[in-house]
CSV table of all heavy atoms in Angstrom, one decimal:
chain,number,residue,atom,x,y,z
A,1,ALA,N,96.5,102.5,92.6
A,1,ALA,CA,97.0,101.3,91.9
A,1,ALA,C,95.9,100.4,91.4
A,1,ALA,O,95.9,99.9,90.3
A,1,ALA,CB,98.0,100.5,92.7
A,2,MET,N,94.9,100.2,92.3
A,2,MET,CA,93.7,99.4,92.0
A,2,MET,C,93.0,100.1,90.7
A,2,MET,O,92.6,99.4,89.8
A,2,MET,CB,92.8,99.3,93.2
A,2,MET,CG,93.3,98.5,94.3
A,2,MET,SD,92.3,98.5,95.8
A,2,MET,CE,90.8,97.7,95.2
A,3,ALA,N,92.9,101.4,90.8
A,3,ALA,CA,92.2,102.1,89.6
A,3,ALA,C,93.0,101.9,88.3
A,3,ALA,O,92.4,101.8,87.3
A,3,ALA,CB,92.0,103.5,90.0
A,4,ALA,N,94.3,101.8,88.4
A,4,ALA,CA,95.1,101.7,87.2
A,4,ALA,C,95.1,100.3,86.7
A,4,ALA,O,95.2,100.1,85.5
A,4,ALA,CB,96.6,102.1,87.5
A,5,PHE,N,94.8,99.3,87.5
A,5,PHE,CA,95.0,97.9,87.1
A,5,PHE,C,93.7,97.1,87.1
A,5,PHE,O,93.6,96.0,86.6
A,5,PHE,CB,96.0,97.2,87.9
A,5,PHE,CG,97.4,97.7,87.6
A,5,PHE,CD1,98.0,98.6,88.6
A,5,PHE,CD2,98.1,97.4,86.5
A,5,PHE,CE1,99.3,99.1,88.3
A,5,PHE,CE2,99.4,97.9,86.3
A,5,PHE,CZ,100.0,98.7,87.2
A,6,LEU,N,92.6,97.6,87.8
A,6,LEU,CA,91.4,96.8,87.9
A,6,LEU,C,90.3,97.5,87.2
A,6,LEU,O,90.2,98.7,87.1
A,6,LEU,CB,91.1,96.6,89.4
A,6,LEU,CG,92.1,95.9,90.2
A,6,LEU,CD1,91.7,95.8,91.7
A,6,LEU,CD2,92.4,94.5,89.7
A,7,LYS,N,89.3,96.7,86.7
A,7,LYS,CA,88.1,97.3,86.0
A,7,LYS,C,87.0,97.7,87.0
A,7,LYS,O,87.0,97.3,88.2
A,7,LYS,CB,87.6,96.3,85.1
A,7,LYS,CG,88.6,95.9,84.0
A,7,LYS,CD,87.8,95.6,82.7
A,7,LYS,CE,88.8,95.3,81.6
A,7,LYS,NZ,89.6,96.4,81.1
A,8,ASN,N,86.1,98.5,86.5
A,8,ASN,CA,84.9,99.0,87.3
A,8,ASN,C,85.2,99.9,88.4
A,8,ASN,O,84.2,100.3,89.1
A,8,ASN,CB,84.1,97.8,87.7
A,8,ASN,CG,83.5,97.0,86.6
A,8,ASN,OD1,83.3,97.5,85.5
A,8,ASN,ND2,83.4,95.7,86.8
A,9,ILE,N,86.4,100.4,88.6
A,9,ILE,CA,86.7,101.4,89.6
A,9,ILE,C,86.5,102.8,88.9
A,9,ILE,O,87.3,103.1,88.0
A,9,ILE,CB,88.1,101.2,90.2
A,9,ILE,CG1,88.1,99.9,91.0
A,9,ILE,CG2,88.4,102.4,91.1
A,9,ILE,CD1,89.4,99.5,91.5
A,10,MET,N,85.5,103.5,89.2
A,10,MET,CA,85.1,104.7,88.5
A,10,MET,C,85.4,106.0,89.2
A,10,MET,O,85.4,107.0,88.6
A,10,MET,CB,83.6,104.6,88.1
A,10,MET,CG,83.2,103.4,87.3
A,10,MET,SD,84.3,103.0,85.9
A,10,MET,CE,83.9,104.3,84.8
A,11,ALA,N,85.7,105.9,90.5
A,11,ALA,CA,85.9,107.2,91.2
A,11,ALA,C,86.9,106.8,92.4
A,11,ALA,O,86.7,105.9,93.1
A,11,ALA,CB,84.6,107.8,91.8
A,12,VAL,N,88.0,107.6,92.5
A,12,VAL,CA,88.9,107.5,93.6
A,12,VAL,C,89.2,108.8,94.2
A,12,VAL,O,89.6,109.7,93.6
A,12,VAL,CB,90.3,106.9,93.1
A,12,VAL,CG1,91.3,106.8,94.2
A,12,VAL,CG2,90.1,105.5,92.4
A,13,ALA,N,88.9,108.9,95.5
A,13,ALA,CA,89.3,110.0,96.3
A,13,ALA,C,90.5,109.6,97.1
A,13,ALA,O,90.5,108.7,97.9
A,13,ALA,CB,88.2,110.5,97.2
A,14,SER,N,91.6,110.3,96.9
A,14,SER,CA,92.9,109.9,97.6
A,14,SER,C,93.4,111.1,98.4
A,14,SER,O,93.4,112.3,97.9
A,14,SER,CB,93.9,109.4,96.6
A,14,SER,OG,94.3,110.4,95.7
A,15,SER,N,94.0,110.9,99.5
A,15,SER,CA,94.5,111.9,100.3
A,15,SER,C,95.9,111.5,100.8
A,15,SER,O,96.2,110.4,101.2
A,15,SER,CB,93.6,112.1,101.5
A,15,SER,OG,94.0,113.2,102.3
A,16,GLU,N,96.9,112.5,100.6
A,16,GLU,CA,98.2,112.4,101.1
A,16,GLU,C,99.0,111.2,100.5
A,16,GLU,O,99.4,110.3,101.2
A,16,GLU,CB,98.3,112.2,102.7
A,16,GLU,CG,97.7,113.4,103.4
A,16,GLU,CD,96.2,113.1,103.7
A,16,GLU,OE1,95.8,112.0,103.9
A,16,GLU,OE2,95.5,114.1,103.8
A,17,HIS,N,99.2,111.2,99.2
A,17,HIS,CA,99.8,110.1,98.6
A,17,HIS,C,101.1,110.5,97.9
A,17,HIS,O,101.3,111.7,97.7
A,17,HIS,CB,98.9,109.5,97.5
A,17,HIS,CG,98.3,110.5,96.6
A,17,HIS,ND1,99.0,111.2,95.6
A,17,HIS,CD2,97.1,111.1,96.7
A,17,HIS,CE1,98.3,112.1,95.1
A,17,HIS,NE2,97.1,112.1,95.7
A,18,SER,N,101.9,109.6,97.5
A,18,SER,CA,103.1,110.0,96.7
A,18,SER,C,103.1,109.5,95.3
A,18,SER,O,103.9,109.8,94.5
A,18,SER,CB,104.4,109.4,97.4
A,18,SER,OG,104.4,108.0,97.3
A,19,LEU,N,102.1,108.7,95.0
A,19,LEU,CA,101.9,108.1,93.6
A,19,LEU,C,103.0,107.2,93.1
A,19,LEU,O,103.2,107.0,92.0
A,19,LEU,CB,101.7,109.3,92.6
A,19,LEU,CG,100.5,110.1,92.8
A,19,LEU,CD1,100.5,111.4,92.0
A,19,LEU,CD2,99.2,109.3,92.5
A,20,CYS,N,103.7,106.6,94.1
A,20,CYS,CA,104.6,105.5,93.7
A,20,CYS,C,104.2,104.2,94.2
A,20,CYS,O,103.5,104.1,95.2
A,20,CYS,CB,106.0,105.9,94.1
A,20,CYS,SG,106.2,105.9,95.9
A,21,ASP,N,104.6,103.1,93.5
A,21,ASP,CA,104.2,101.8,94.0
A,21,ASP,C,105.3,101.1,94.7
A,21,ASP,O,105.2,99.9,94.9
A,21,ASP,CB,103.7,101.0,92.8
A,21,ASP,CG,104.8,100.7,91.8
A,21,ASP,OD1,105.9,101.0,92.1
A,21,ASP,OD2,104.4,100.1,90.7
A,22,CYS,N,106.3,101.8,95.2
A,22,CYS,CA,107.5,101.1,95.7
A,22,CYS,C,107.2,100.3,97.0
A,22,CYS,O,107.9,99.3,97.2
A,22,CYS,CB,108.5,102.2,96.0
A,22,CYS,SG,108.1,103.4,97.2
A,23,TYR,N,106.2,100.6,97.7
A,23,TYR,CA,105.9,99.9,98.9
A,23,TYR,C,104.7,99.0,98.9
A,23,TYR,O,104.3,98.4,99.9
A,23,TYR,CB,105.8,100.8,100.1
A,23,TYR,CG,107.1,101.6,100.3
A,23,TYR,CD1,107.0,103.0,100.2
A,23,TYR,CD2,108.3,101.1,100.5
A,23,TYR,CE1,108.1,103.8,100.3
A,23,TYR,CE2,109.4,101.8,100.6
A,23,TYR,CZ,109.3,103.2,100.5
A,23,TYR,OH,110.4,104.0,100.7
A,24,ILE,N,104.0,99.0,97.7
A,24,ILE,CA,102.8,98.2,97.6
A,24,ILE,C,103.2,96.7,97.4
A,24,ILE,O,104.0,96.4,96.5
A,24,ILE,CB,102.0,98.6,96.4
A,24,ILE,CG1,101.4,100.0,96.7
A,24,ILE,CG2,100.8,97.7,96.2
A,24,ILE,CD1,100.7,100.7,95.5
A,25,ASP,N,102.7,95.9,98.2
A,25,ASP,CA,103.0,94.4,98.2
A,25,ASP,C,102.3,93.9,96.9
A,25,ASP,O,101.1,94.0,96.8
A,25,ASP,CB,102.5,93.8,99.4
A,25,ASP,CG,102.8,92.3,99.5
A,25,ASP,OD1,103.1,91.7,98.4
A,25,ASP,OD2,102.6,91.7,100.6
A,26,SER,N,103.1,93.3,96.0
A,26,SER,CA,102.5,92.8,94.7
A,26,SER,C,101.6,91.7,94.9
A,26,SER,O,100.8,91.3,94.0
A,26,SER,CB,103.7,92.5,93.8
A,26,SER,OG,104.5,91.4,94.3
A,27,SER,N,101.5,91.1,96.1
A,27,SER,CA,100.5,90.0,96.3
A,27,SER,C,99.1,90.6,96.4
A,27,SER,O,98.1,90.0,96.2
A,27,SER,CB,100.8,89.2,97.6
A,27,SER,OG,100.7,90.0,98.7
A,28,LEU,N,99.1,91.9,96.8
A,28,LEU,CA,97.8,92.6,96.9
A,28,LEU,C,97.2,92.8,95.5
A,28,LEU,O,96.0,92.6,95.2
A,28,LEU,CB,97.9,94.0,97.5
A,28,LEU,CG,98.3,94.0,99.0
A,28,LEU,CD1,98.6,95.4,99.5
A,28,LEU,CD2,97.3,93.3,99.9
A,29,LEU,N,98.0,93.2,94.6
A,29,LEU,CA,97.6,93.4,93.2
A,29,LEU,C,98.6,92.8,92.3
A,29,LEU,O,99.7,93.3,92.0
A,29,LEU,CB,97.5,94.9,92.9
A,29,LEU,CG,96.5,95.7,93.7
A,29,LEU,CD1,96.8,97.2,93.5
A,29,LEU,CD2,95.1,95.4,93.2
A,30,PRO,N,98.4,91.5,91.9
A,30,PRO,CA,99.4,90.7,91.2
A,30,PRO,C,100.0,91.4,89.9
A,30,PRO,O,101.1,91.1,89.5
A,30,PRO,CB,98.7,89.4,90.8
A,30,PRO,CG,97.5,89.4,91.8
A,30,PRO,CD,97.1,90.8,92.1
A,31,ARG,N,99.2,92.3,89.3
A,31,ARG,CA,99.7,92.9,88.0
A,31,ARG,C,100.7,94.0,88.3
A,31,ARG,O,101.3,94.5,87.3
A,31,ARG,CB,98.6,93.4,87.2
A,31,ARG,CG,97.7,92.3,86.7
A,31,ARG,CD,96.6,92.9,85.8
A,31,ARG,NE,95.4,92.4,86.4
A,31,ARG,CZ,94.2,92.8,86.1
A,31,ARG,NH1,94.0,93.8,85.2
A,31,ARG,NH2,93.1,92.3,86.6
A,32,ILE,N,100.9,94.4,89.5
A,32,ILE,CA,101.9,95.5,89.8
A,32,ILE,C,103.3,94.9,89.9
A,32,ILE,O,103.5,93.9,90.6
A,32,ILE,CB,101.5,96.2,91.1
A,32,ILE,CG1,100.2,97.0,90.9
A,32,ILE,CG2,102.7,97.1,91.5
A,32,ILE,CD1,99.8,97.7,92.1
C-alpha cells in the first residue's frame, strides 16, 4: 500500500500477502 500511494519507494519485497487493504488502518496511510 505504501508503494501504491507514496513516492520514492522503488523496491518492495513482500512475503505472504493477500493484496487487500481491508485491515490496513487508514490512519497509517491517510490516502487509503
Side-chain angles (χ1 to χ4, degrees):
M2 289 173 68
F5 293 100
L6 302 176
K7 298 212 178 291
N8 296 329
I9 296 173
M10 303 311 290
V12 176
S14 67
S15 184
E16 303 94 26
H17 50 76
S18 71
L19 295 168
C20 66
D21 65 7
C22 59
Y23 303 118
I24 295 174
D25 182 346
S26 59
S27 66
L28 296 174
L29 296 168
R31 290 183 236 168
I32 292 180

